[in-house]
Amino acid sequence: MQGSPGLLGLLGFYDELDNRPGQPNGSVHDAVRPVGEPDEADLVAYLDAGHVLIDVMEAGHDAITGRAHRHSLGCSSLVTDGTWLWRLDFPHYVETHHVLLPEAFTAHVRGLNHRMPALVAAHFAPRCNATLPLVGWASARPWHER
C-alpha cells in the first residue's frame, strides 16, 4: 500500500504477522521472490536505519520458516522514514525472502541515495496519526504530543 498525501506508505504488514486477517500488504507468501533488487543490501540498510516510532517488547519468528532471526526481538515495533511505515522485522523479509518492494518505495529510497532523512514533524505528524489506525494502533497517542 503506497501512501496518499494524508497517509504513510505501508511495508511488511502481512496477514501472517498479525492476528487480524486482511492486513494492508496481504500474504507474505505472495510477496516472496527468488531474487531481490540489485541494490537489495542498500535497501535493507536503509530500512534498518529507520526511525523507531513505537517500540514493542516481544519476540517473534519468521512467518515462513518458523525460525528466530536478527529482528525477532521487538519484531512488530514500528519504524518510519517519514514517508513510509514498516515493522522492525521487515528488513529480514527483504534480505532473506526478497519480498517484493513497491516501485514507489524503491524510487523514493534511490532518490535519497539510500540515506535516511530526518523526520520533519510538521509534515510527518498528521500522516502518522492518520496511518496508525490502519495497522492496529488506533489508541496510540498522537505523534505531535511526543
Side-chain angles (χ1 to χ4, degrees):
M1 175 179 199
Q2 181 179 340
S4 70
L7 298 173
L8 299 171
L10 300 175
L11 302 165
F13 292 94
Y14 298 118
D15 291 340
E16 295 83 0
L17 305 180
D18 199 297
N19 59 4
R20 298 170 300 129
Q23 290 301 301
N25 300 120
S27 173
V28 68
H29 297 285
D30 295 338
V32 173
R33 300 182 310 153
V35 296
E37 296 288 329
D39 58 343
E40 184 175 83
D42 291 327
L43 293 166
V44 168
Y46 180 88
L47 291 164
D48 281 338
H51 306 279
V52 176
L53 182 62
I54 296 176
D55 196 8
V56 178
M57 294 181 64
E58 67 176 345
H61 60 276
D62 184 305
I64 296 170
T65 67
R67 288 185 232 134
H69 55 81
R70 69 184 181 94
H71 290 303
S72 287
L73 296 178
C75 59
S76 66
S77 297
L78 299 182
V79 182
T80 188
D81 66 356
T83 301
W84 294 85
L85 182 70
W86 58 92
R87 291 170 45 109
L88 181 70
D89 60 356
F90 184 61
H92 163 75
Y93 290 94
V94 175
E95 72 185 346
T96 304
H97 303 293
H98 316 294
V99 294
L100 181 64
L101 295 168
E103 208 171 291
F105 172 74
T106 56
H108 168 73
V109 175
R110 290 170 183 149
L112 293 168
N113 292 317
H114 301 94
R115 284 186 238 140
M116 183 59 56
L119 290 181
V120 178
H123 299 193
F124 173 69
R127 296 175 78 195
C128 174
N129 297 337
T131 305
L132 287 180
L134 300 177
V135 294
W137 286 92
S139 63
R141 200 172 75 212
W143 196 79
H144 69 277
E145 292 179 12
R146 294 181 187 168

